Amino acid sequence: MATTVTTSAEGKTWGGGNEPMNASYGKMMMWFFIVSDALTFSGFLAAYGFSRFKFIETWPLADEVFTHFPFMHGVSAPMYYVAFMTFVLIFSSVTMVLAVDAGHQMKKDKVVLYMFLTIIGGFIFVGSQAWEWKNFIKGEYGAVETKGGSILQFEKVDKELSTAGHIVYKRVALAEFAADIPTERVEDTKSKGIWFFGNETLPTYSVEEVVEGFKSHSDVLIRTEVIDPKTKRKVTLTREESLKRIEGTRYVVEGANLVRNEYGQKLFADFFFFITGFHGFHVFSGVMINVLIFFNVLLGTYDKRKTYEMVEKVGLYWHFVDLVWVFVFTFFYLV
């Protein structure tokens, strides 16, 4: 004999005929996704933390890596643009809150306005992150890598800022001292049968040009990737020590990639590309979803449904990616 079970629940109900914590099925599933994604980001950031602790003495200094600002070429602006990106993303979270609140009040025009501002903020952040990646990959000064895998940068005394009791150093780009030695350099390609080599492009200068140029410029010194615990800056060698270290040069490094990193420890670049790229993908996905919901709002879809719950659900996701960026910003740029 078949048994039929009925419930008196009406409206949006789960299979059991109720709504746990007064949350609809859609919102509860969004929370499940957020929790699982938070665990993923936590694993990535924990791995970053362990790696940084292991190589704490050679880890790049964020203030020396992220110094660019649009239309201010040559001006050192450490962390300024990153702070701007963070402000834009947090402000977009505020406009999303206002959009959700307007949806609760069934005010379509305000939902349209605030969602539009949220989308603009998301596009600015994604574009800014792409611009930051471009500068990180391209590099600014260049460096060399020794046979042991150490990164050596170059600098000299800043006579304008130095005093009798305090010496100030400034970075020197390879272009400022590299010699001009006419040589024919051929890039390895698959067409030459070197299939196991990567498709890495040739640097602007050869090892010989950098070494000979360094030897002929007596005011240029080598700065190692090791951080002095007292001064909290990279250790600068004497001229005699520098001449000894330059002999072990194996590669010229310009910018950063997954193999080499002119700023120091290559794991820093690996984690930077992976974690910020993964977060950037989340932000871009959120922008695309916001655009879809935005057009639905314009078409009056949610007015017909008598609820703007979809705006609230995408708002939960947007707040999540904003919160994750706070942790990424803290780990990569502030700590």
Side-chain angles (χ1 to χ4, degrees):
M1 178 178 179
T3 302
T4 303
V5 179
T6 60
T7 66
S8 59
E10 296 180 358
K12 300 176 183 177
T13 59
W14 290 36
N18 54 25
E19 295 186 358
M21 296 181 286
N22 294 321
S24 66
Y25 179 82
K27 284 205 294 186
M28 186 60 72
M29 291 302 103
M30 178 59 75
W31 276 112
F32 284 163
F33 169 76
I34 288 175
V35 171
S36 64
D37 214 24
L39 293 174
T40 303
F41 274 106
S42 298
F44 294 157
L45 292 176
Y48 171 86
F50 283 124
S51 297
R52 175 170 181 172
F53 180 76
K54 182 177 181 181
F55 301 103
I56 188 65
E57 294 182 349
T58 60
W59 207 253
L61 300 174
D63 286 346
E64 297 180 354
V65 177
F66 308 103
T67 60
H68 302 86
F69 202 93
F71 312 111
M72 293 175 59
H73 180 71
V75 178
S76 180
M79 310 299 293
Y80 288 10
Y81 197 64
V82 180
F84 169 75
M85 291 168 52
T86 304
F87 170 78
V88 169
L89 195 61
I90 292 177
F91 186 77
S92 72
S93 199
V94 174
T95 56
M96 178 57 80
V97 169
L98 296 174
V100 172
D101 181 66
H104 287 162
Q105 301 176 42
M106 300 298 293
K107 297 180 179 179
K108 175 183 174 181
D109 293 340
K110 287 190 174 181
V111 175
V112 170
L113 172 63
Y114 292 129
M115 285 211 68
F116 177 75
L117 294 176
T118 302
I119 292 169
I120 294 299
F123 274 123
I124 291 175
F125 180 85
V126 173
S128 298
Q129 198 168 49
W131 182 84
E132 188 182 51
W133 268 44
K134 184 264 294 182
N135 287 291
F136 186 72
I137 293 172
K138 181 181 178 182
E140 183 176 4
Y141 296 100
V144 295
E145 181 179 319
T146 65
K147 295 178 181 178
S150 299
I151 293 295
L152 304 179
Q153 300 169 341
F154 302 93
E155 60 184 10
K156 62 182 178 181
V157 176
D158 190 334
K159 297 180 180 180
E160 295 181 359
L161 300 178
S162 297
T163 60
H166 181 65
I167 299 178
V168 178
Y169 296 96
K170 63 179 180 180
R171 291 287 302 277
V172 178
L174 299 180
E176 296 183 41
F177 66 89
D180 184 12
I181 303 176
T183 56
E184 183 179 354
R185 294 189 293 158
V186 180
E187 185 174 353
D188 294 329
T189 62
K190 293 181 180 180
S191 62
K192 296 181 176 62
I194 313 179
W195 58 270
F196 51 85
F197 276 36
N199 197 25
E200 186 177 355
T201 58
L202 288 173
T204 306
Y205 306 98
S206 66
V207 172
E208 292 76 14
E209 289 174 326
V210 173
V211 173
E212 292 303 319
F214 177 80
K215 291 180 179 179
S216 62
H217 288 74
S218 59
D219 59 333
V220 180
L221 303 173
I222 281 181
R223 187 177 78 159
T224 68
E225 59 183 345
V226 178
I227 301 175
D228 187 336
K230 294 182 180 180
T231 61
K232 302 300 181 182
R233 67 180 306 276
K234 302 292 186 178
V235 175
T236 301
L237 304 179
T238 63
R239 180 62 182 177
E240 291 73 19
E241 294 172 330
S242 298
L243 289 171
K244 293 179 181 178
R245 291 296 299 273
I246 197 68
E247 294 298 338
T249 300
R250 186 178 181 183
Y251 298 106
V252 175
V253 185
E254 293 177 318
N257 51 51
L258 296 177
V259 180
R260 296 185 178 87
N261 174 19
E262 79 165 49
Y263 309 102
Q265 176 60 239
K266 69 177 183 179
L267 277 177
F268 176 85
D270 296 341
F271 278 113
F272 177 80
F273 287 128
F274 190 78
I275 295 179
T276 62
F278 192 59
H279 176 265
F281 172 76
H282 278 69
V283 176
F284 180 76
S285 300
V287 171
M288 292 296 100
I289 297 172
N290 278 337
V291 169
L292 178 62
I293 302 302
F294 174 75
F295 281 111
N296 281 339
V297 173
L298 287 177
L299 294 173
T301 302
Y302 306 121
D303 274 336
K304 296 175 183 178
R305 296 180 183 178
K306 305 299 181 183
T307 176
Y308 278 81
E309 186 179 289
M310 282 299 298
V311 176
E312 186 174 356
K313 285 189 285 189
V314 76
L316 289 173
Y317 176 80
W318 193 253
H319 297 322
F320 167 69
V321 297
D322 287 4
L323 180 61
V324 169
W325 176 251
V326 172
F327 286 96
V328 174
F329 174 74
T330 302
F331 272 67
F332 271 99
Y333 303 97
L334 296 184
V335 178

